[in-house]
Amino acid sequence: METESVKYSTFEAAGRLFGVPLIDIKEITAETNCTCIPHAPECVRGYVNIRGNIILGLDLKRILALPTKEEDVSKRMVIFKSTVGPAFGLLVDEIGEIVSVSSQDITSDSTSIGAELQGMSGLVQNICRLPNQLLVVLNPRKLLPIIEKELIQPSR
Amino acid sequence: MVNTPHADFVLESREHLQLFERSMLALEKAASPEARIDCIDSSLRAVHSLKGNAGFLGFQTVQRLAHAIESVLENFRNRSNSPPIAVVEAILLASDRLSSMIEDLGFSESHDISELMKALQALAVDAGDPVENTPKNVIQVNLRMPLPPASVIPLLDSLRTLGSLRESQLTQVDLQTSTANWSVAELRLQGRLHTDRSVIEVQRYLSQTGATVPWRDLGAIEISGLNAQQLQQHLAAVRGELVYEPNRLDLGLPVQPIVWNQATSDLPRQPIVKIAMSPTNAPENILPKPIQPVDETVATTPPVKTSSNEPVIHQESIASEDRKGIVSKPTGDTTKSSPSEKTTSLRIPVDLLDRLMNLVGELTLIRNQSLLAFEGIEGTSRAVIQRLNSVTTELQDAVLKTRMQPVGHLFGRFPRMVRDLARQLGKQVELVMIGQEVELDKTVLEQLSDPLTHLIRNSIDHGLETPEVRIRSDKQSVGRVTLSATAADGQVIIEIRDDGRGIDPNAVRDKVLALGLKTEAELQKISSKELYSYILLPGFSTARQVSDVSGRGVGMDVVKTNVERLEGSLTIDSAPGIGMSMILRVPLTLAIIPCLIVTVGKERFAVPQRGLEEIVCLHPGGESSIEHSYDSELLRLRDVLLPVVRFSEALRCKSTFCAETKLAILAKNSPADRDPQRIEYILVLRSKGRKFGLLVDDVRGTEEVVVKPMHPSLRKIGIFAGATLMGDGRVALIANIDGIAEHADCYGVEPPENSGMLRRDPAEVHRVLLFEFGLKELFALPLVQVRRIESIAMNQVEFIGDQAFITIDGVSTRIIRLDKFLNVSTCEQSPMMHLLLPKFVKEPVGILVSRIVDTESLSTHLQEASIEEPGILGTAIVRERLTLFLDIQYLRERIFGRARALSTSQSREVDLVGSPQVKATLDVVPHILLVDDTPFFREVVRRYFERDGFVVTTAIDGNDGMRKLAEGDFDLVVSDIEMPNLDGWGFCQAARKAGYKTPFMALTSLSKIENSARAIECGFDGFEEKLDHDRLINSVRKMLGLIAEEQQDGN
């Protein structure tokens, strides 16, 4: 039982480590050239052309309201499978390694992370203890609903 | 689709059934035995294949029913007469049942078909030969008449009453030699009249009907000087179809040179005679021009002989047996020649095509990138790239074509519908379909189905008259509905035309007037087409008066919406009494649309060209420029004022434009600040029948873009229709013209006044309009108190004594010059000034304003009042200037006096404080606790109350209110709702909990409808809107019991 492990693809945003289940990812691309979409919520960076397919790029830092520094440019986009949601991806700063976490190191208790990440409508799925840091596991299925909600009732 | 044998079976069966139905309908009209047998054979084949497949797959019920149908048909195969209507009806009913069983294959076995079977079996057995009515005489008829023969049809009608005309041929004589003049060309009608009467009788009969059948006049019809319209009518009389050059005629807009397409069922089919008609000729000059037979066969050999198995006259059976019968006919005449029967094709799932389409899109991009990369490089690689270029383009075309389907697929369902509808309504209808081979994108085709169905129903239901009415108005008893499709300029034009009663323009006009959509004078100017477009409005659609008179309208707005969703348009034309035509224009495909590429800021946007009328380029110093009206920018384009929407602002502002946004935009773009070097580009766009200008930074050119829909999560964004990939690989957004017009509210209507019901943006309450009158002072008025701002020409001001008036909206409006009432500087008069019309003031007054400065958020800058000056509520530092807040009520009372200002309270004549009567009834002056967090409103309302003689204590929020409640003794609490710390709801609840029985009134900018329930729940006794002075004071008085007491005093 304790040998069971889950693979996560990790990435960095604003200096923090995040991860999503590896099986949800279609591809990771370096193409982050966005066309801004007026009227879309703040956390939508825009449309990205990935080999003729138009992908909606969301900005993780803006979704989580993480501090954005000048030098932090989103260098990669994590594109999800269509089972997660239609044609969308998450813009992140850096791509990390793929980690295997055994189930005993995974907790759904989110008290150990910063207050700003709590209460993101279930976006934070789990917390994993890695040897030298904590990995915040996100549920990518919760990303698009955040956008839709934002469009109906803007927070600002 | 799951590719199971059953799925294939369903698909195939659908085709079989369609073919079957077509053949049956053709059979109904087939006259010659050969045509009949053809029809029966073709239906037999279809039903037989279906039966075989069903048996193979084990669908026994389907098989049994199909077999029964087959048996009935077999029985009629070798008869000389066509099956009676009842039989056809029963067979069609059975085939309907078959079709529903096949659509619901899983439950096909549970269908109860026993009754149908019984009926069919009875028909199969009983189909013993009916007694043939052998005619006594067969008379050879041989007539010659000039073309176009207006009398052919009446003549045929007469012959029909005598007997049946068989093997008839209508041919043109000497067309080749006589093309120089229409009047020489002749038609020859030959045939055999099967009749019970003698030759003498027939001749006598025909001569008796001389009035309608100019028997003796044949050959003497004057047709010289005929114009195109008359020609059309003449040709229509032979049931041909004349398609003519646009703009030649008033009715309809077909696009090709004249084609006489004799799609008639009465007359033998002939090769189409094409008559080239030069569009440059005036109609009067058309006829003397030589007529060029375009069709080779016509030109070389006179079409004396038409193939013998073509149907000749096949209306007798229907006409005599059932006067309500209809004749409907696809142009693909007999089923044998129907192209759809031969359709041999592969079935390809649509998703595969979509994927192919995407891949081609990608390839196009690679091609574009390669072109860029190899630009300027000579050598072999260049040739390769060019080859790649051309192959890609061809591939794209080919793939697009795979999505195209002939409109015949869609039209195919209409003959049956028309037949059933006509029978049901007791009308005789002939449906002519033209251009079934025109191709349209699959998605467009699918979405056209409902609108077309609706329009055809409309034509038959409301447009066509009953046979009796038609005969009375000298029309043929059979009404005709023509459904035609033509392709032109990347669009497909589908026209539904009928020769019914048309629309009565006067009825529409009356209705437009009644609804107040236009004034009489405006109506004089608009064209008839514009007028008819009103019947597409939702209000018209439900108006029975119009549809009773004109026979149009129900649900037309739905049709229009559907068509507009397809990026198409719908126009209507009509000639009262002659008929009407509805023209649908839809794009060939939705996948690729031509767009204009524009830039705003750094971004490119694609604007669909379909909605584009023209591009106006405003050069600095040019004649035209953007003008300002009270709240919007306007472009004067050839004396028509169009609202101008700045695309940049529409993109920037996320919420639909409100009055405040518009004023802010106006302030930002005042004509004085305009960059003199800048060229302004304005796209004149059409949205929902109205035009507006869209101002963009630059126009780059046109491009055919591949449309990708917006991401599903972003569908709520109305201003975009989709996205596309540009040549450089970047994504560009495609503008939604209607969405932008809506977003910018550019045809905005003023909301009804005093509508506390309307939900208003709370932020608006806290915004003020800044304006100047004299040179020194800056004035402010809350936006909620502003009704609108009007530009006025000072030379139109009239004076009565020293009072100035101007007419606005037909009302003489008193102009308030602030320097006359307040101690403020006077202003230099300029020819054009602004007039600020305040809200919540019943009397027509306006404040004269020399300049509108801006709008500003109030809460940030306001300071407590520091100047005690009547008419000034307080001051604030706004933009580093001392700003005076006007007291509108003061000004109003200075002008009209108190009594009139409060005319709604009936008997009040004297000031409350000064009135000994009122004083006598009250022990103390009423004491009001006013709770509001905004200093400005606190001040305004406090002044209202104090001026009315009340004592007012103020509190800044709910907590403060609770403290004040404990300290004093109040007769009434008036509280704002939206406050920091403790809001109005909480405040009232807390007060009620603490046992205070004082009446509470909510005073807020929130909507009354949505919040009144909550107000009662929290313990409020009243609910009023901020800043409506009269209502507020009246309510307060009512709550204090003052009005009732005064009325008693008055008695």
Side-chain angles (χ1 to χ4, degrees), chain B residues 615-774:
Chain B
I615 303 173
V616 177
C617 193
L618 296 185
H619 288 278
E623 275 184 18
S624 49
S625 64
I626 299 175
E627 299 170 22
H628 282 200
S629 86
Y630 66 92
D631 76 339
S632 53
E633 293 180 281
L634 297 173
L635 171 71
R636 193 177 292 274
L637 183 66
R638 295 184 288 276
D639 291 335
V640 179
L641 280 174
L642 300 178
V644 172
V645 177
R646 288 178 183 267
F647 202 4
S648 54
E649 296 290 346
L651 294 171
R652 198 183 49 79
C653 180
K654 283 192 185 185
S655 50
T656 308
F657 285 17
C658 54
E660 181 197 338
T661 334
K662 290 184 184 175
L663 287 172
I665 294 170
L666 272 193
K668 225 198 266 181
N669 299 294
S670 73
D673 305 344
R674 197 167 287 146
D675 179 359
Q677 297 302 310
R678 198 177 163 72
I679 301 172
E680 315 249 32
Y681 293 95
I682 297 177
L683 317 183
V684 179
L685 302 172
R686 206 173 37 230
S687 162
K688 313 222 156 129
R690 303 173 78 170
K691 286 188 210 167
F692 73 99
L694 186 70
L695 194 144
V696 299
D697 288 353
D698 199 1
V699 176
R700 287 288 174 85
T702 62
E703 209 163 298
E704 302 244 312
V705 305
V706 181
V707 181
K708 312 247 177 175
M710 283 300 271
H711 191 276
S713 296
L714 298 180
R715 289 271 159 81
K716 277 235 158 1
I717 300 179
I719 60 167
F720 300 120
T724 188
L725 294 174
M726 305 300 289
D728 62 0
R730 293 264 304 178
V731 180
L733 292 158
I734 301 169
N736 174 7
I737 294 172
D738 292 344
I740 291 172
E742 224 162 85
H743 183 79
D745 189 32
C746 59
Y747 313 120
V749 277
E750 212 179 318
E753 274 182 63
N754 285 339
S755 49
M757 317 292 163
L758 282 182
R759 185 168 166 71
R760 206 184 288 131
D761 184 2
E764 202 182 319
V765 177
H766 302 285
R767 310 264 311 178
V768 292
L769 177 76
L770 300 175
F771 58 94
E772 286 175 354
F773 175 67

Side-chain angles (χ1 to χ4, degrees), chain B residues 660-968:
Chain B
E660 181 197 338
T661 334
K662 290 184 184 175
L663 287 172
I665 294 170
L666 272 193
K668 225 198 266 181
N669 299 294
S670 73
D673 305 344
R674 197 167 287 146
D675 179 359
Q677 297 302 310
R678 198 177 163 72
I679 301 172
E680 315 249 32
Y681 293 95
I682 297 177
L683 317 183
V684 179
L685 302 172
R686 206 173 37 230
S687 162
K688 313 222 156 129
R690 303 173 78 170
K691 286 188 210 167
F692 73 99
L694 186 70
L695 194 144
V696 299
D697 288 353
D698 199 1
V699 176
R700 287 288 174 85
T702 62
E703 209 163 298
E704 302 244 312
V705 305
V706 181
V707 181
K708 312 247 177 175
M710 283 300 271
H711 191 276
S713 296
L714 298 180
R715 289 271 159 81
K716 277 235 158 1
I717 300 179
I719 60 167
F720 300 120
T724 188
L725 294 174
M726 305 300 289
D728 62 0
R730 293 264 304 178
V731 180
L733 292 158
I734 301 169
N736 174 7
I737 294 172
D738 292 344
I740 291 172
E742 224 162 85
H743 183 79
D745 189 32
C746 59
Y747 313 120
V749 277
E750 212 179 318
E753 274 182 63
N754 285 339
S755 49
M757 317 292 163
L758 282 182
R759 185 168 166 71
R760 206 184 288 131
D761 184 2
E764 202 182 319
V765 177
H766 302 285
R767 310 264 311 178
V768 292
L769 177 76
L770 300 175
F771 58 94
E772 286 175 354
F773 175 67
L775 293 169
K776 292 175 190 161
E777 297 87 0
L778 183 63
F779 294 97
L781 200 62
L783 273 176
V784 280
Q785 281 191 309
V786 179
R787 183 151 63 100
R788 62 183 227 229
I789 300 165
E790 188 82 38
S791 283
I792 57 168
M794 291 309 285
N795 58 10
Q796 287 180 4
V797 174
E798 293 162 290
F799 289 92
I800 301 174
D802 59 349
Q803 300 181 357
F805 291 91
I806 190 158
T807 307
I808 286 171
D809 299 341
V811 177
S812 181
T813 304
R814 174 84 185 265
I815 297 175
I816 300 176
R817 289 181 67 101
L818 290 176
D819 57 342
K820 293 235 173 107
F821 295 93
L822 305 173
N823 184 17
V824 294
S825 63
T826 175
C827 101
E828 282 177 40
Q829 194 163 310
S830 57
M832 289 300 290
M833 305 266 291
H834 300 287
L835 198 64
L836 191 159
L837 304 174
K839 228 177 192 169
F840 307 126
V841 176
K842 287 184 192 68
E843 299 84 3
V845 294
I847 297 167
L848 195 65
V849 169
S850 61
R851 190 166 87 93
I852 300 287
V853 180
D854 202 353
T855 60
E856 185 67 51
S857 178
L858 176 81
S859 45
T860 48
H861 297 290
L862 194 94
Q863 294 185 341
E864 291 290 338
S866 55
I867 300 175
E868 275 300 321
E869 162 80 34
I872 303 295
L873 285 170
T875 60
I877 302 296
V878 179
R879 303 190 170 179
E880 288 155 23
R881 276 183 76 182
L882 186 70
T883 306
L884 306 174
F885 283 75
L886 278 185
D887 185 347
I888 294 275
Q889 284 308 318
Y890 170 84
L891 292 171
R892 175 188 177 196
E893 284 167 18
R894 276 284 302 273
I895 297 168
F896 298 104
R898 300 224 58 203
R900 237 188 105 191
L902 276 173
S903 55
T904 41
S905 98
Q906 297 145 358
S907 62
R908 186 174 170 92
E909 291 287 350
V910 281
D911 198 37
L912 189 63
V913 180
S915 154
Q917 291 163 307
V918 177
K919 254 192 179 165
T921 61
L922 298 163
D923 294 335
V924 281
V925 177
H927 192 175
I928 298 175
L929 176 62
L930 173 67
V931 190
D932 198 318
D933 62 316
T934 323
F936 172 75
F937 288 121
R938 219 158 51 224
E939 185 60 27
V940 175
V941 179
R942 187 177 68 82
R943 284 200 185 205
Y944 285 177
F945 288 160
E946 283 184 354
R947 215 177 287 142
D948 223 45
F950 304 117
V951 175
V952 181
T953 302
T954 56
I956 57 162
D957 62 25
N959 289 334
D960 193 23
M962 285 304 285
R963 271 194 298 279
K964 298 274 164 63
L965 262 184
E967 287 165 11

Side-chain angles (χ1 to χ4, degrees), chain B residues 9-37:
Chain B
F9 170 65
V10 172
L11 282 177
E12 251 180 69
S13 305
R14 273 186 209 149
E15 275 175 25
H16 287 316
L17 282 174
Q18 269 170 20
L19 173 62
F20 179 78
E21 194 178 289
R22 264 202 309 277
S23 312
M24 286 310 293
L25 292 177
L27 172 67
E28 249 186 326
K29 286 163 275 150
S32 71
E34 293 88 353
R36 226 170 10 240
I37 284 170

Side-chain angles (χ1 to χ4, degrees), chain B residues 439-500:
Chain B
E439 290 193 322
L440 258 178
D441 190 280
K442 188 176 172 301
T443 40
V444 181
L445 203 64
E446 279 162 4
Q447 291 182 53
L448 265 183
S449 161
D450 285 351
L452 275 186
T453 310
H454 195 96
L455 290 177
I456 294 174
R457 277 176 168 279
N458 240 339
S459 274
I460 296 170
D461 192 0
H462 306 303
L464 294 182
E465 310 91 331
T466 53
E468 299 78 43
V469 177
R470 288 184 68 88
I471 289 164
R472 237 180 291 143
S473 44
D474 279 341
K475 290 181 180 180
Q476 299 145 37
S477 61
V478 180
R480 194 162 55 129
V481 175
T482 311
L483 186 59
S484 64
T486 13
D489 303 335
Q491 282 189 317
V492 169
I493 298 160
I494 296 180
E495 186 189 11
I496 298 120
R497 174 193 296 232
D498 64 59
D499 61 352

Side-chain angles (χ1 to χ4, degrees), chain B residues 302-322:
Chain B
V304 178
K305 181 167 169 18
T306 51
S307 76
S308 59
N309 65 353
E310 295 286 342
V312 190
I313 291 180
H314 29 72
Q315 241 186 325
E316 291 87 71
S317 57
I318 299 166
S320 52
E321 282 179 49
D322 181 359

Side-chain angles (χ1 to χ4, degrees), chain B residues 155-172:
Chain B
L155 181 66
L156 285 176
D157 283 342
S158 310
L159 288 173
R160 208 172 289 134
T161 57
L162 298 170
S164 64
L165 188 65
R166 302 212 178 147
E167 295 157 54
S168 69
Q169 289 183 335
L170 187 69
T171 52
Q172 280 163 302

